[in-house]
Amino acid sequence: AIDRLHAAAHPVTVTKLVATLLLPFLRRVALQLNLQYGLDVAGEAPWLQAERRQVLGSSDDYGTQVLPQSEPECARLLKLLNLPALDQIFDPASQPATLALAESWLRDLSAFRQRHTSPISLGAGYTMAVPVAMPTLFSLVELPDRFDVFFEHSAKACCPRCNGVPNDPALCLLCGGFVCAQSFCCEEDGVGECNMHMKTCGGTVGLYLLVKKCGLLLLHHDNGCFMSAPYLDQHGEVDLGLRRGRPLYLNKTRYEELRRLVLAQKIPVFVARKVDQSFDIGGWVSL
């Protein structure tokens, strides 16, 4: 796999990708050193004395400005933490043990996935790709401002499981894929495609926009609930089920609240509260 990646991808592209994904970890390490140990890495690192003298001359008060701001943040954090640069890490001659270490990690990951093949492990996300911290702000799928534009786009969508246009399309707001909602064409052993897609996309949490109902479907394990979509008419009212037929527009405030709900990992709590308030709590697995 490493050889195929080396042959298919440009080294600069791989380096930029690794630097982008490594940035959140480096930020946490620098913050942890400061909060837990009170270590001011930027001001106390002895291996940065040459950079301090170059920036501020012979002054003893170096402050916190120790590295040129023109350098990328990842490169500056690697210097602050006294870690080798990425070009040295990717150079087998300077880092002979790096390849062997990466191969051992891949072997452990392969063995871990072979041990966790049960439906419970699949639902918990154990066999998913290696999780990495998002280097950018977390956001849901970008939606068009007008609902009629989104409705027309959904009519041309294709379900990846049945390779057909869904009769009741549902848009996954986590990845942007369309699935068939509560349809027999994609159901397996009584489990609907929304639940099956949730296990491979969101783990134990699913968030879908039901196009023809103009509503949201929130799933967590075997439970779920409905809520109104972030599309409102000119009077600020929802149109659940598209009964009024008025033009609907995206309300960015409501969509931002939904993003914060997902970001704060409050979907399970929200679904549990809705289930407690309802008398009919069955049938969510078939969606």
Side-chain angles (χ1 to χ4, degrees):
I2 296 178
D3 293 337
R4 291 197 301 267
L5 177 64
H6 184 269
H10 195 275
V12 176
T13 304
V14 177
T15 304
K16 289 184 177 180
L17 177 62
V18 173
T20 303
L21 298 177
L22 185 63
L23 189 56
F25 173 75
L26 296 177
R27 289 172 177 170
R28 293 193 183 105
V29 172
L31 186 62
Q32 182 76 9
L33 291 175
N34 182 266
L35 294 179
Q36 185 169 356
Y37 302 103
L39 177 61
D40 183 10
V41 181
E44 300 178 9
W47 53 86
L48 295 177
Q49 293 180 1
E51 279 79 3
R52 295 194 188 98
R53 296 191 184 97
Q54 183 178 2
V55 173
L56 299 177
S58 59
S59 176
D60 294 334
D61 186 13
Y62 298 117
T64 59
Q65 185 183 2
V66 296
L67 293 177
Q69 297 296 320
S70 60
E71 286 187 331
E73 184 181 1
C74 182
R76 287 188 281 121
L77 286 175
L78 287 173
K79 285 186 177 181
L80 290 175
L81 299 174
N82 198 20
L83 296 175
L86 290 181
D87 56 350
Q88 297 179 2
I89 296 177
F90 288 150
D91 186 9
S94 61
Q95 302 289 335
T98 303
L99 184 60
L101 183 61
E103 290 178 348
S104 65
W105 290 342
L106 293 177
R107 286 194 297 267
D108 293 340
L109 177 61
S110 178
F112 179 81
R113 289 179 175 175
Q114 292 177 2
R115 292 195 303 266
H116 295 82
T117 56
S118 64
I120 298 178
S121 298
L122 290 173
Y126 284 125
T127 58
M128 295 172 59
V130 179
V132 293
M134 180 172 292
T136 60
L137 293 176
F138 175 79
S139 61
L140 300 176
V141 174
E142 185 177 357
L143 297 176
D145 293 333
R146 292 178 58 93
F147 185 78
D148 54 352
V149 176
F150 173 65
F151 193 91
E152 181 181 358
H153 177 69
S154 65
K156 304 176 183 178
C158 179
C159 174
R161 185 173 292 271
C162 63
N163 294 324
V165 178
N167 294 325
D168 192 0
L171 173 68
C172 177
L173 296 180
L174 300 179
C175 68
F178 280 93
V179 298
C180 297
Q182 205 169 15
S183 178
F184 293 102
C185 62
C186 297
E187 184 178 297
E188 292 185 3
D189 299 330
V191 180
E193 189 180 5
C194 289
N195 283 269
M196 290 187 291
H197 179 78
M198 174 188 67
K199 295 179 181 180
T200 59
C201 179
T204 59
V205 172
L207 182 62
Y208 300 92
L209 176 58
L210 305 177
V211 181
K212 294 187 176 180
K213 297 181 177 63
C214 192
L216 293 175
L217 170 63
L218 279 66
L219 296 176
H220 178 245
H221 281 300
D222 296 335
N223 293 324
C225 67
F226 295 105
M227 61 182 299
S228 58
Y231 282 95
L232 306 177
D233 59 12
Q234 58 183 354
H235 302 291
E237 297 179 352
V238 298
D239 189 7
L240 189 61
L242 300 176
R243 298 178 180 179
R244 300 190 183 95
R246 298 174 180 174
L248 301 176
Y249 305 93
L250 179 64
N251 188 286
K252 296 183 179 181
T253 303
R254 293 170 64 95
Y255 200 43
E256 175 64 20
E257 293 177 356
L258 181 63
R259 186 190 75 90
R260 293 180 180 273
L261 191 68
V262 179
L263 183 61
Q265 301 182 2
K266 293 184 179 180
I267 294 293
V269 178
F270 186 86
V271 172
R273 289 178 178 175
K274 288 291 185 179
V275 169
D276 291 339
Q277 298 173 2
S278 176
F279 295 100
D280 184 12
I281 61 175
W284 296 108
V285 180
S286 63
L287 292 174

